[in-house]
Amino acid sequence: MNIDRPILSVKDLKTYFQTDEGLVKAVDGVSFELRKGETLGVVGESGSGKSVTSLSLMRLIREPHGKIAGGEIVFDGKDLLNLAIDEVRKLRGKKVAMIFQDPTTSLNPYLRISTQLMEVTRLHLGLSKAQAREHAVKMLRMVGIADPEDRIDGYAHEFSGGMRQRVMIAMALSCDPELLIADEPTTALDVTIQAQILELIKELKSRMGTSVILITHDLGVVAGMTDRTIVMYAGKVFEQATTRQLFASPANPYTKGLIRSVPGPDHDGGIGFYQIPGLPADLANLPTGCPFAERCDRAEDICRNEYPPFVEVAEGHHSLCHFANVVFEESSQNALNAN
């Protein structure tokens, strides 16, 4: 697998929304790279900016209330923010595809599954109606839907939640995209189906060499699926590192809180279940200092009064924190003591 060349480079991405409460900076200066064949995890609490980041990458932010206010999204050497919308539409579904959170609302309830699957390949690959139907059947079979020849002309309501998500994956992969964005692809699915969907994405990625951005709030999924991870909070990247490094030695109190919130295998029925105190920051009324300071158990005056720097604590490992190096050293020492 060649992961030397970044297939996607995001620099200082800013996406803002005008609301009744004021200007909401949902994504505010996000930067990261994704290499060919790599899987990048994006984690954080609800409202941290994960989904808005993915919609921004696809140029799906609705104006005038929402706007990509700045930055670069360079895919295959082209800045998507400088392309005409017609050029972006040629990329969507063909080179860049997305699996949305809820297949119930992503699939058109009035159209047969065959119509929706065939539209993608007829538009982007120029297939005839017969060829597109044959290809659609093949994709449904590949994602594990039994008897695809019989099921293909059904409607979305005739499929279970897991099957609808498989249809969405088949649609997303129909044109062999170079980049697949999966925005919480297992939301609202039971645990068994979640595992099947994630294993399917992993298998298809390995088979087709697709680069993947996996957006989720589930750190267990991230640990088992990704090469690198970025942690988002209040529209910012709070930490980024290889997934192994992030879990072994987190360098941000927010990341440590997220990891601590995951119940272990010996957890007994909710007793002593850890929660990060307080509520996520109000993006329309952010404080002067660190947006996590009021929830952080090690915050000091500098955290409340000055915005933290983005510090490199080890090669390729960065954290947005005044005490990033201290937190990193503590985590590293605790990891050594545990071993």
Side-chain angles (χ1 to χ4, degrees):
M1 179 175 63
N2 177 20
I3 60 171
D4 295 327
R5 177 177 64 88
I7 191 172
L8 175 71
S9 178
V10 178
K11 296 180 181 177
D12 200 27
L13 179 64
K14 299 176 181 179
T15 303
Y16 300 162
F17 294 88
Q18 191 63 52
T19 71
D20 293 339
E21 288 74 32
L23 186 67
V24 171
K25 298 181 178 180
V27 174
D28 193 22
V30 167
S31 300
F32 62 87
E33 287 186 345
L34 178 69
R35 301 188 180 278
K36 189 171 179 60
E38 185 179 40
T39 298
L40 174 71
V42 182
V43 300
E45 294 170 293
S46 296
S48 62
K50 306 184 303 297
S51 292
V52 176
T53 297
S54 68
L55 293 173
S56 300
L57 297 180
M58 297 290 286
R59 290 276 303 271
L60 290 174
I61 300 299
R62 291 188 177 182
E63 297 185 353
H65 300 297
K67 182 179 181 181
I68 299 178
E72 296 180 355
I73 304 172
V74 179
F75 174 74
D76 262 359
K78 297 179 182 178
D79 187 350
L80 301 187
L81 298 183
N82 290 333
L83 294 182
I85 194 63
D86 287 344
E87 292 299 311
V88 176
R89 288 192 183 109
K90 291 177 182 178
L91 292 175
R92 288 187 199 137
K94 184 176 183 180
K95 290 194 172 184
V96 183
M98 186 167 176
I99 304 169
F100 295 91
Q101 283 191 34
D102 186 0
T104 304
T105 57
S106 300
L107 292 169
N108 191 321
Y110 297 103
L111 297 178
R112 297 181 187 276
I113 295 299
S114 56
T115 302
Q116 298 179 68
L117 279 170
M118 290 162 61
E119 180 184 29
V120 179
T121 52
R122 295 197 72 185
L123 176 64
H124 290 301
L125 302 182
L127 300 185
S128 67
K129 188 173 182 179
Q131 290 172 328
R133 184 179 179 85
E134 182 181 350
H135 188 275
V137 169
K138 172 187 169 185
M139 293 304 299
L140 290 180
R141 182 177 291 110
M142 186 173 75
V143 298
I145 291 183
D147 303 317
E149 295 88 352
D150 298 328
R151 302 298 304 276
I152 191 170
D153 288 317
Y155 292 92
H157 72 270
E158 298 175 304
F159 289 71
S160 68
M163 290 297 104
R164 284 195 292 263
Q165 195 62 289
R166 288 172 187 268
V167 171
M168 287 300 302
I169 294 172
M171 192 181 301
L173 296 176
S174 285
C175 297
D176 293 344
E178 296 176 37
L179 170 61
L180 175 66
I181 302 171
D183 185 6
E184 302 203 25
T186 59
T187 297
L189 301 179
D190 65 59
V191 175
T192 303
I193 302 301
Q194 283 184 27
Q196 292 175 3
I197 294 296
L198 292 171
E199 189 58 35
L200 175 62
I201 293 173
K202 195 172 183 179
E203 177 189 335
L204 295 175
K205 176 226 170 190
S206 176
R207 185 190 309 172
M208 303 169 74
T210 306
S211 301
V212 178
I213 296 177
L214 179 62
I215 299 168
T216 181
H217 61 272
D218 191 331
L219 291 180
V221 169
V222 168
M225 291 278 294
T226 66
D227 302 301
R228 289 189 304 115
T229 300
I230 66 174
V231 179
M232 292 190 67
Y233 184 78
K236 296 279 190 179
V237 174
F238 258 50
E239 186 165 4
Q240 61 177 323
T242 65
T243 301
R244 178 173 293 184
Q245 180 74 77
L246 188 86
F247 279 86
S249 302
N252 195 289
Y254 178 58
T255 307
K256 292 185 72 172
L258 290 177
I259 293 173
R260 189 178 168 192
S261 299
V262 179
D266 56 348
H267 193 269
D268 52 348
I271 301 172
F273 188 80
Y274 177 77
Q275 300 179 68
I276 298 175
L279 297 173
D282 180 356
L283 296 181
N285 297 283
L286 288 172
T288 302
C290 176
F292 187 63
E294 294 305 315
R295 307 175 69 192
C296 182
D297 59 7
R298 68 170 304 132
E300 299 185 13
D301 287 343
I302 189 174
C303 304
R304 299 180 182 89
N305 297 321
E306 296 181 21
Y307 202 84
F310 199 51
V311 177
E312 185 172 37
V313 296
E315 185 177 357
H317 189 167
H318 296 78
S319 172
L320 189 76
C321 180
H322 288 290
F323 302 103
N325 284 300
V326 176
V327 176
F328 176 73
E329 291 299 328
E330 290 174 352
S331 298
S332 299
Q333 190 59 52
N334 289 339
L336 284 174
N337 293 339
N339 293 330

